[in-house]
Amino acid sequence: MSLSAKDKLAVKTFFDKVAPNAEEIGNETLSRTLFVYPQTKTYFAHWADLSPGSPQVRKHGLTVVNGVLNAVGLMDDLKGGLLTLSELHAFMLRVDPANFKIINHNLLVTLALMFPEDFTPQVHVSVDKFLALVSLALSEKYR
Amino acid sequence: MVVWTDQERAYIKDIFSKLNYEDAGPKALQRVLIVYPWTQRYFGGFGNLYSAEAIQSNPMVAAHGTVVLHGLDKAMKNMDDIKNAYADLSVLHSEKLHVDPDNFRLLADCLTIVIAATMGSSFTASVQAAWQKFIAVVVSALSRQYH
Protein backbone atom coordinates (compact mmCIF):
# COMPACT_ATOMS: atom_id res chain seq x y z
CA MET A 1 0.00 0.00 0.00
CA SER A 2 1.75 3.16 -1.19
CA LEU A 3 0.62 6.77 -1.47
CA SER A 4 -0.94 7.82 -4.75
CA ALA A 5 -0.70 11.40 -5.98
CA LYS A 6 -4.28 11.84 -4.77
CA ASP A 7 -3.34 10.56 -1.29
CA LYS A 8 -0.37 12.91 -1.05
CA LEU A 9 -2.48 15.90 -2.03
CA ALA A 10 -5.22 15.00 0.45
CA VAL A 11 -2.66 14.56 3.26
CA LYS A 12 -0.82 17.79 2.46
CA THR A 13 -4.01 19.87 2.11
CA PHE A 14 -5.51 18.52 5.33
CA PHE A 15 -2.38 18.89 7.47
CA ASP A 16 -1.64 22.36 6.09
CA LYS A 17 -5.09 23.37 7.30
CA VAL A 18 -4.85 21.83 10.79
CA ALA A 19 -1.16 22.66 11.46
CA PRO A 20 -1.94 25.88 13.40
CA ASN A 21 -3.70 23.68 15.99
CA ALA A 22 -0.66 21.44 16.43
CA GLU A 23 -0.40 21.94 20.17
CA GLU A 24 -4.00 21.03 20.91
CA ILE A 25 -3.88 18.09 18.51
CA GLY A 26 -0.70 16.84 20.17
CA ASN A 27 -2.09 17.25 23.67
CA GLU A 28 -5.34 15.43 22.88
CA THR A 29 -3.55 12.64 21.01
CA LEU A 30 -0.97 11.90 23.68
CA SER A 31 -3.38 12.45 26.60
CA ARG A 32 -5.79 9.93 25.12
CA THR A 33 -3.02 7.47 24.35
CA LEU A 34 -1.81 7.49 27.96
CA PHE A 35 -5.30 7.51 29.49
CA VAL A 36 -7.20 5.09 27.26
CA TYR A 37 -4.25 2.67 26.74
CA PRO A 38 -2.47 2.76 30.12
CA GLN A 39 0.19 0.29 29.01
CA THR A 40 1.71 3.18 27.02
CA LYS A 41 2.52 4.95 30.29
CA THR A 42 5.37 2.48 30.79
CA TYR A 43 7.47 4.56 28.40
CA PHE A 44 7.09 7.69 30.50
CA ALA A 45 7.72 6.45 34.03
CA HIS A 46 10.30 9.22 34.42
CA TRP A 47 7.69 11.97 34.10
CA ALA A 48 6.22 13.58 37.20
CA ASP A 49 2.71 13.98 35.81
CA LEU A 50 1.15 11.65 33.25
CA SER A 51 -2.39 13.02 33.54
CA PRO A 52 -4.16 14.36 30.45
CA GLY A 53 -3.12 17.93 29.70
CA SER A 54 -0.13 18.02 32.06
CA PRO A 55 2.78 20.28 30.99
CA GLN A 56 4.98 17.30 30.08
CA VAL A 57 2.18 15.66 28.07
CA ARG A 58 1.48 18.93 26.24
CA LYS A 59 5.12 19.48 25.41
CA HIS A 60 5.71 15.96 24.20
CA GLY A 61 2.40 15.86 22.31
CA LEU A 62 3.59 18.86 20.32
CA THR A 63 6.92 17.16 19.63
CA VAL A 64 5.13 14.12 18.23
CA VAL A 65 2.70 16.13 16.07
CA ASN A 66 5.53 18.28 14.75
CA GLY A 67 7.21 15.01 13.78
CA VAL A 68 4.09 14.01 11.83
CA LEU A 69 3.90 17.43 10.17
CA ASN A 70 7.55 17.12 9.25
CA ALA A 71 6.85 13.70 7.71
CA VAL A 72 4.20 15.31 5.46
CA GLY A 73 7.05 17.11 3.71
CA LEU A 74 8.99 13.85 3.38
CA MET A 75 6.21 11.84 1.73
CA ASP A 76 8.25 11.14 -1.39
CA ASP A 77 10.88 9.31 0.67
CA LEU A 78 9.69 8.52 4.19
CA LYS A 79 12.24 5.76 4.79
CA GLY A 80 15.18 8.00 3.91
CA GLY A 81 13.80 11.13 5.49
CA LEU A 82 12.94 9.45 8.81
CA LEU A 83 16.16 7.43 9.14
CA THR A 84 17.49 9.40 12.11
CA LEU A 85 14.14 9.28 13.91
CA SER A 86 13.99 5.56 13.23
CA GLU A 87 17.41 5.09 14.82
CA LEU A 88 16.21 7.08 17.82
CA HIS A 89 13.13 4.90 18.26
CA ALA A 90 15.01 1.66 17.57
CA PHE A 91 18.14 2.07 19.65
CA MET A 92 17.33 4.61 22.30
CA LEU A 93 13.59 4.75 22.94
CA ARG A 94 12.91 1.13 21.95
CA VAL A 95 9.18 1.74 21.69
CA ASP A 96 7.40 -1.48 20.73
CA PRO A 97 6.04 -0.80 17.21
CA ALA A 98 2.59 -2.00 18.29
CA ASN A 99 2.29 1.35 20.02
CA PHE A 100 2.57 3.25 16.73
CA LYS A 101 -0.86 1.84 15.84
CA ILE A 102 -2.23 3.01 19.18
CA ILE A 103 -1.00 6.57 18.86
CA ASN A 104 -2.11 6.70 15.21
CA HIS A 105 -5.63 5.64 16.26
CA ASN A 106 -5.79 8.38 18.88
CA LEU A 107 -4.49 10.93 16.38
CA LEU A 108 -7.32 9.96 14.01
CA VAL A 109 -9.89 10.23 16.83
CA THR A 110 -8.52 13.67 17.73
CA LEU A 111 -8.59 14.87 14.12
CA ALA A 112 -12.20 13.62 13.78
CA LEU A 113 -13.44 15.39 16.88
CA MET A 114 -11.59 18.63 16.17
CA PHE A 115 -12.24 18.79 12.41
CA PRO A 116 -15.44 16.79 11.76
CA GLU A 117 -16.22 18.59 8.48
CA ASP A 118 -12.73 18.24 7.01
CA PHE A 119 -11.94 14.70 8.16
CA THR A 120 -14.10 13.07 5.50
CA PRO A 121 -13.81 9.35 4.69
CA GLN A 122 -11.71 10.27 1.64
CA VAL A 123 -9.27 12.29 3.76
CA HIS A 124 -9.37 9.56 6.45
CA VAL A 125 -8.18 6.82 4.09
CA SER A 126 -5.25 8.91 2.80
CA VAL A 127 -4.21 9.99 6.30
CA ASP A 128 -4.52 6.40 7.59
CA LYS A 129 -2.28 5.14 4.78
CA PHE A 130 0.19 7.96 5.42
CA LEU A 131 0.41 7.25 9.16
CA ALA A 132 0.86 3.53 8.50
CA LEU A 133 3.80 4.33 6.20
CA VAL A 134 5.27 6.74 8.74
CA SER A 135 5.10 3.94 11.34
CA LEU A 136 6.75 1.57 8.91
CA ALA A 137 9.55 4.07 8.26
CA LEU A 138 10.01 4.57 12.01
CA SER A 139 10.34 0.79 12.43
CA GLU A 140 12.96 0.54 9.68
CA LYS A 141 16.05 0.31 11.90
CA TYR A 142 14.54 -1.95 14.58
CA ARG A 143 16.06 -5.17 13.28
CA MET B 1 -17.04 -11.57 33.44
CA VAL B 2 -16.67 -7.94 32.44
CA VAL B 3 -17.01 -5.50 35.32
CA TRP B 4 -18.52 -2.11 34.53
CA THR B 5 -18.38 0.88 36.86
CA ASP B 6 -21.49 3.03 37.18
CA GLN B 7 -19.58 5.79 35.45
CA GLU B 8 -18.79 3.55 32.45
CA ARG B 9 -22.43 2.46 32.17
CA ALA B 10 -23.53 6.08 32.24
CA TYR B 11 -21.02 7.07 29.56
CA ILE B 12 -22.13 4.26 27.23
CA LYS B 13 -25.83 5.04 27.68
CA ASP B 14 -25.06 8.70 27.07
CA ILE B 15 -23.23 7.98 23.81
CA PHE B 16 -26.13 5.91 22.47
CA SER B 17 -28.65 8.55 23.52
CA LYS B 18 -26.73 11.12 21.45
CA LEU B 19 -26.56 8.92 18.35
CA ASN B 20 -28.93 9.23 15.44
CA TYR B 21 -28.92 5.59 14.30
CA GLU B 22 -29.99 6.48 10.78
CA ASP B 23 -27.02 8.84 10.51
CA ALA B 24 -24.19 7.25 12.48
CA GLY B 25 -24.81 3.70 11.23
CA PRO B 26 -24.61 4.58 7.53
CA LYS B 27 -21.64 6.89 8.14
CA ALA B 28 -19.68 4.17 9.94
CA LEU B 29 -20.36 1.53 7.28
CA GLN B 30 -19.55 3.97 4.45
CA ARG B 31 -16.31 4.86 6.20
CA VAL B 32 -15.16 1.25 6.65
CA LEU B 33 -15.90 0.50 2.97
CA ILE B 34 -13.92 3.59 1.88
CA VAL B 35 -11.01 3.45 4.35
CA TYR B 36 -10.56 -0.34 4.20
CA PRO B 37 -11.77 -1.18 0.69
CA TRP B 38 -11.17 -4.93 1.06
CA THR B 39 -14.20 -5.00 3.35
CA GLN B 40 -16.29 -4.52 0.20
CA ARG B 41 -15.84 -8.25 -0.41
CA TYR B 42 -18.85 -8.91 1.81
CA PHE B 43 -21.18 -6.65 -0.12
CA GLY B 44 -21.06 -8.00 -3.67
CA GLY B 45 -24.84 -7.68 -3.95
CA PHE B 46 -24.94 -4.02 -2.96
CA GLY B 47 -24.45 -2.57 -6.45
CA ASN B 48 -22.20 0.40 -7.11
CA LEU B 49 -19.30 0.63 -4.62
CA TYR B 50 -16.77 1.83 -7.18
CA SER B 51 -16.00 5.21 -5.64
CA ALA B 52 -16.28 6.99 -2.33
CA GLU B 53 -19.12 9.09 -3.74
CA ALA B 54 -20.96 5.97 -4.96
CA ILE B 55 -20.59 4.33 -1.54
CA GLN B 56 -21.85 7.46 0.21
CA SER B 57 -24.97 7.65 -1.95
CA ASN B 58 -25.68 3.90 -2.02
CA PRO B 59 -29.07 3.25 -0.36
CA MET B 60 -28.28 -0.42 0.45
CA VAL B 61 -25.16 0.64 2.35
CA ALA B 62 -27.15 3.21 4.28
CA ALA B 63 -29.88 0.73 5.16
CA HIS B 64 -27.39 -1.87 6.29
CA GLY B 65 -25.43 0.66 8.35
CA THR B 66 -28.60 1.32 10.34
CA VAL B 67 -29.12 -2.43 10.85
CA VAL B 68 -25.58 -2.82 12.19
CA LEU B 69 -25.94 0.04 14.66
CA HIS B 70 -29.21 -1.34 15.96
CA GLY B 71 -27.32 -4.57 16.51
CA LEU B 72 -24.99 -2.68 18.86
CA ASP B 73 -28.04 -1.60 20.80
CA LYS B 74 -28.36 -5.20 21.95
CA ALA B 75 -24.94 -5.02 23.57
CA MET B 76 -25.75 -1.74 25.30
CA LYS B 77 -28.96 -3.24 26.70
CA ASN B 78 -27.16 -6.40 27.89
CA MET B 79 -23.91 -4.96 29.15
CA ASP B 80 -23.54 -7.55 31.91
CA ASP B 81 -23.61 -10.48 29.51
CA ILE B 82 -22.67 -9.33 26.02
CA LYS B 83 -20.93 -12.66 25.45
CA ASN B 84 -24.16 -14.64 25.59
CA ALA B 85 -26.35 -11.91 24.11
CA TYR B 86 -24.19 -12.09 20.99
CA ALA B 87 -23.79 -15.87 20.74
CA ASP B 88 -26.28 -16.23 17.87
CA LEU B 89 -24.91 -13.15 16.06
CA SER B 90 -21.44 -14.60 16.32
CA VAL B 91 -22.53 -17.91 14.81
CA LEU B 92 -24.30 -15.98 12.03
CA HIS B 93 -21.16 -13.99 11.16
CA SER B 94 -19.00 -17.10 11.21
CA GLU B 95 -21.14 -19.83 9.67
CA LYS B 96 -23.42 -17.91 7.33
CA LEU B 97 -21.72 -14.61 6.47
CA HIS B 98 -18.12 -15.90 6.68
CA VAL B 99 -16.77 -12.55 7.88
CA ASP B 100 -13.10 -12.42 8.92
CA PRO B 101 -13.29 -11.26 12.56
CA ASP B 102 -10.57 -8.68 11.95
CA ASN B 103 -13.24 -6.71 10.13
CA PHE B 104 -15.14 -6.20 13.39
CA ARG B 105 -12.16 -4.25 14.69
CA LEU B 106 -12.00 -2.16 11.50
CA LEU B 107 -15.71 -1.28 11.69
CA ALA B 108 -15.37 -0.55 15.42
CA ASP B 109 -12.53 1.90 14.69
CA CYS B 110 -14.58 3.67 12.01
CA LEU B 111 -17.60 3.89 14.34
CA THR B 112 -15.34 5.40 17.01
CA ILE B 113 -14.24 8.05 14.50
CA VAL B 114 -17.89 8.82 13.58
CA ILE B 115 -18.84 9.13 17.26
CA ALA B 116 -15.84 11.40 17.90
CA ALA B 117 -16.86 13.60 14.95
CA THR B 118 -20.46 13.74 16.23
CA MET B 119 -19.66 14.43 19.89
CA GLY B 120 -16.64 16.70 19.42
CA SER B 121 -15.02 17.78 22.66
CA SER B 122 -17.66 15.99 24.75
CA PHE B 123 -15.98 12.75 23.61
CA THR B 124 -13.45 13.20 26.42
CA ALA B 125 -10.62 10.79 27.21
CA SER B 126 -12.76 9.25 29.99
CA VAL B 127 -15.70 8.75 27.64
CA GLN B 128 -13.38 7.33 24.99
CA ALA B 129 -11.90 4.88 27.52
CA ALA B 130 -15.36 3.55 28.39
CA TRP B 131 -16.31 3.33 24.73
CA GLN B 132 -13.12 1.52 23.69
CA LYS B 133 -13.67 -1.01 26.50
CA PHE B 134 -17.30 -1.53 25.41
CA ILE B 135 -16.46 -1.94 21.75
CA ALA B 136 -13.60 -4.33 22.57
CA VAL B 137 -16.06 -6.52 24.50
CA VAL B 138 -18.49 -6.41 21.56
CA VAL B 139 -15.77 -7.38 19.07
CA SER B 140 -14.62 -10.21 21.32
CA ALA B 141 -18.19 -11.51 21.75
CA LEU B 142 -18.79 -11.43 17.99
CA SER B 143 -15.55 -13.35 17.40
CA ARG B 144 -16.21 -15.90 20.13
CA GLN B 145 -18.20 -18.58 18.27
CA TYR B 146 -15.73 -18.86 15.39
CA HIS B 147 -14.01 -22.20 15.14
Side-chain angles (χ1 to χ4, degrees), chain A residues 10-50:
Chain A
V11 168
K12 187 167 190 320
T13 309
F14 179 76
F15 277 108
D16 278 350
K17 175 159 190 197
V18 308
N21 300 84
E23 198 190 324
E24 205 197 328
I25 295 171
N27 179 39
E28 282 294 337
T29 300
L30 189 56
S31 294
R32 282 163 195 274
T33 300
L34 297 168
F35 187 85
V36 181
Y37 302 91
Q39 68 269 28
T40 58
K41 292 195 289 188
T42 56
Y43 292 98
F44 303 100
H46 54 288
W47 284 0
D49 186 358
L50 285 162

Side-chain angles (χ1 to χ4, degrees), chain A residues 124-125 128, chain B residues 31-40 106 109-110:
Chain A
H124 179 170
V125 61
D128 194 47
Chain B
R31 207 167 267 260
V32 82
L33 293 170
I34 293 168
V35 178
Y36 306 104
W38 53 93
T39 57
Q40 292 168 25
L106 298 179
D109 282 349
C110 285

Side-chain angles (χ1 to χ4, degrees), chain B residues 55-102:
Chain B
I55 290 170
Q56 285 171 305
S57 53
N58 186 310
M60 290 182 80
V61 172
H64 195 66
T66 309
V67 165
V68 169
L69 202 52
H70 278 293
L72 270 178
D73 227 20
K74 192 169 192 182
M76 190 252 305
K77 296 192 166 116
N78 291 281
M79 270 173 78
D80 288 307
D81 196 7
I82 295 175
K83 196 164 56 178
N84 281 318
Y86 267 29
D88 289 342
L89 265 175
S90 180
V91 170
L92 173 80
H93 283 75
S94 164
E95 303 305 301
K96 187 150 176 272
L97 304 174
H98 306 293
V99 177
D100 180 336
D102 199 55

